[in-house]
Amino acid sequence: MRAIDRVWVADLTYVPTDEGFLYLAVVLDLASRRAVGWAMDETLEATLPLGALRMAIARRRPAPGLVHHSDRGSQYACGDYQRLLGAHGMIPSMSKRGDCYDNAVMESFFSTLEFELLMQNNWATRHAARIAISEYIETWYNRERRHSTLAYHSPAAYEREVLHAAA
């Protein structure tokens, strides 16, 4: 079993609504595939991924030395984001320039989200999309959805097994 809270991956995407795009930033634990933090906003400013990272830190309280991997987007390279990583002893890691496969786990998460939720719905408002996405992540994806990478366990079940094995 792989240890949790050793490597996090992060990225952002957009969600269409009748009001315009809602932007979603997510932080996943690489070992368990659990969405440990996320945030949504009407803009792609750095406050979006900062919100997701702050949620992840508050929920997980990772030990110093955690590797945080993202693409080279300005939101992740900016001073505020890098300072928050440093303040919590995280080691920043960024994709190679032009390598779209370097963050494949995040791309897989967004592909799953698109197939299982976004393609099935058309939201009139950003607020409605926020509610649906929050419920999807917290109720379905983290707690119920089985992953072949995790021997067909959900992220929550995988983490329980890791913690039980460590006890």
Side-chain angles (χ1 to χ4, degrees):
M1 290 194 170
R2 295 170 299 212
I4 57 176
D5 293 328
R6 298 283 171 83
V7 179
W8 287 351
V9 295
D11 203 356
L12 45 87
T13 193
Y14 63 93
V15 177
T17 75
D18 292 347
E19 288 182 329
F21 290 125
L22 174 67
Y23 298 97
L24 169 67
V26 179
V27 178
L28 292 179
D29 181 86
L30 186 61
S32 70
R33 304 302 201 261
R34 186 178 200 134
V36 295
W38 65 90
M40 293 174 257
D41 204 340
E42 296 177 20
T43 73
L44 280 171
E45 293 178 18
T47 54
L48 173 67
L50 278 164
L53 181 58
R54 285 186 182 109
M55 177 192 273
I57 291 167
R59 287 178 151 198
R60 306 296 279 221
R61 306 211 182 281
L66 179 141
V67 174
H68 176 284
H69 185 77
S70 68
D71 63 21
R72 292 180 176 270
S74 61
Q75 299 91 339
Y76 296 106
C78 76
D80 288 345
Y81 203 89
Q82 293 299 309
R83 276 189 291 280
L84 185 58
L85 292 175
H88 292 277
M90 295 182 192
I91 301 165
S93 166
M94 292 186 154
S95 300
K96 291 178 235 155
R97 197 173 301 277
D99 187 352
C100 63
Y101 299 106
D102 199 23
N103 212 359
V105 172
M106 279 305 309
E107 297 302 330
S108 177
F109 171 82
F110 287 137
S111 178
T112 299
L113 175 77
E114 183 174 352
F115 182 76
E116 294 182 350
L117 182 69
L118 305 183
M119 290 174 54
Q120 317 301 323
N121 294 280
N122 182 31
W123 294 286
T125 65
R126 290 181 182 105
H127 179 72
R130 281 178 190 266
I131 292 169
I133 292 166
S134 294
E135 288 177 359
Y136 172 86
I137 291 172
E138 197 57 45
T139 306
W140 170 247
Y141 184 85
N142 279 345
R143 296 181 189 174
E144 300 295 328
R145 189 177 190 289
R146 296 169 186 254
H147 296 256
S148 60
T149 306
L150 305 176
Y152 295 97
H153 291 91
S154 70
Y158 180 85
E159 288 187 353
R160 281 192 301 273
E161 284 189 22
V162 168
L163 293 173
H164 178 71

